[in-house]
Structure formats: structure tokens, C-alpha cells
Amino acid sequence: MTLVFMIFLGLHVLHSVVSNWAGNDPARLTHERPNPFMLLSQAPMFVIACTLAYQSGIFSRELLSPVYFGLGTVAGLLIFCISVMVIHLSVLAAIEMFTHGWQLVRFTLDCPAVLSRFITVAFAEELIYRGVAQPILIAWTGSVWVGILLLAVLFSVVHHHFFRNSWRVSSEFLAFSIAVGWLYWVTGSLLFVMVIHGVRDIAIAYLEFEEKMEELGDWEAAADAIDASYRPVKGLRPAGGAA
């Protein structure tokens, strides 16, 4: 089953790389016209990942740990602030983002579509990549760091923005992938890295919200506009489009 899972993962990665390299960005696909190959590769891969995760004991009470949830929330915000500092080369930008912590919470509560989407994405991606694929690669390569680095590269290249962004932004995303892989290896907590991942994605959506706020000048109108853009009926973004 492990080999079958890795074959599906390899096909998914290969298809993502070829599509992005050719300019056929999966994120351009609409909800009404899903990519058949993506569905055929991702669905069984997720099912097998769940089975392997259950067999390895990943699905335990730890997934409901308030301690790891709290630590993941704080760590996710700190890591995102560091990312902002690296990308914008500004300590002030990072500090400003950190001080928006409570506004980020309010934004999350006001945008249920954003919250539900990124909880789902964070759980699925962290389960597949960190929870299942990373231990397999570490076992196959015989090296913790080689396995983490290889998995980080695979995780990065399936995201369309990795090929579209500047070298600094893409390098930051690769570094984020490595950091999350290392944190999972250290803690063994899927919940911890899942929350970190989710906080990052929600924080990115919050930056979109801030731009919309400047445009509309109203919190509720801006929140409604961003939330609507993440609803399944309008503008569904397929896996690989979020960080």
C-alpha cells in the first residue's frame, strides 16, 4: 500500500509540474470544470493516506490536543511574520502583522468560507505530505534531512504559485516547507503543523482582505467580498493553489 501511495503521489507531482511548466495553471480551472486527472489522482491518494495514517496511529487523541492547537496558532503567526520580514525585507512589516493578531481572529470568524476551506486544505495536505509521505521518504533514503528536504521540494512544486512568484517568495515558501517538515519530525504532532499551515493560509487571505478594505473602506463589505471569493460555488481554488 505504501508503494501504491507513493506512485499516486508521484503522478500527482508530475502532473502538477508539467501543467505549471506548460502554463496550464490548475488554479485557473473553475468549479464547473474540474480537472479529471487531478481528481483521479488525489482521491485515491487521500484515501490511502488516511488508511496508512490510521495504521501508524496518527489518528489519536493528540489531534484534539488544545496544547498543540495553541502552540500551532502562536507558531503559525510567528512563522508568517518572519516570512513577511524575509519577503518585504522589513522588520516593521513583520511587527505590524504580528500586532494584527486579534484582527486576524476577527477576520477568521467573519469569513467562515475562508476558515472551512483552509482547515480542509491544511488537514489534507499535512496528512498526505508530512504525516504519510515524509516518514516514507525518510525510511527510503535512510536520512531524516534528505527525507525532509525531498518532501519539501515535492510539496513546493505542486503549488502553482511556486512557479509564478519571484525567486525570493518561492524560496521563502520552500524554506517554510522545510521548517514545517522539521517541526513535524521533532514534535510528531499532525495537529501542530496543520494549525501552522492553516494560520499561514488564513493570514494570506487576511492580506487580501486588507487590500479590499482599502478599496471599499468598510470591514463587513470587505469581509463579505473575500469570503465570497472562497466559497465553493464561486472561485473554488483547487488543492495546490494555497500555501
Side-chain angles (χ1 to χ4, degrees), residues 109-139:
L109 295 176
D110 286 345
C111 298
V114 173
L115 178 61
S116 61
R117 169 177 163 71
F118 288 132
I119 286 177
T120 303
V121 169
F123 174 75
E125 290 191 341
E126 292 307 318
L127 173 66
I128 290 172
Y129 289 93
R130 248 67 65 169
V132 177
Q134 180 170 292
I136 293 173
L137 290 175
I138 290 175

Side-chain angles (χ1 to χ4, degrees), residues 75-76 78-80 82-87 126 130 134 145 148-157 159 161-162 165-184 193 196-197 200 243:
L78 287 174
I79 290 173
F80 186 75
I82 294 173
S83 297
V84 170
M85 182 176 65
V86 170
I87 292 172
E126 292 307 318
R130 248 67 65 169
Q134 180 170 292
W145 278 111
I148 291 175
L149 291 173
L150 183 56
L151 189 280
V153 171
L154 296 178
F155 181 75
S156 297
V157 299
H159 288 78
H161 58 73
F162 185 77
N165 291 330
S166 66
W167 68 267
R168 180 183 293 148
V169 176
S170 295
S171 297
E172 180 277 326
F173 185 67
L174 177 61
F176 168 77
S177 303
I178 295 171
V180 173
W182 178 76
L183 287 171
Y184 180 70
V193 294
I196 291 175
H197 187 156
R200 176 190 174 89

Side-chain angles (χ1 to χ4, degrees), residues 204-225:
I204 291 174
Y206 176 75
L207 295 181
E208 297 176 14
F209 162 77
E210 285 192 323
E211 293 181 0
K212 185 62 68 173
M213 263 284 289
E214 292 182 5
E215 176 188 337
L216 300 178
D218 181 79
W219 177 287
E220 292 186 3
D224 288 343

Side-chain angles (χ1 to χ4, degrees), residues 71-102:
L71 290 175
T73 301
V74 175
L77 183 58
L78 287 174
I79 290 173
F80 186 75
C81 289
I82 294 173
S83 297
V84 170
M85 182 176 65
V86 170
I87 292 172
H88 297 285
L89 300 178
S90 171
V91 176
L92 291 178
I95 294 175
E96 182 181 5
M97 186 64 209
F98 185 78
T99 58
H100 285 189
W102 286 114

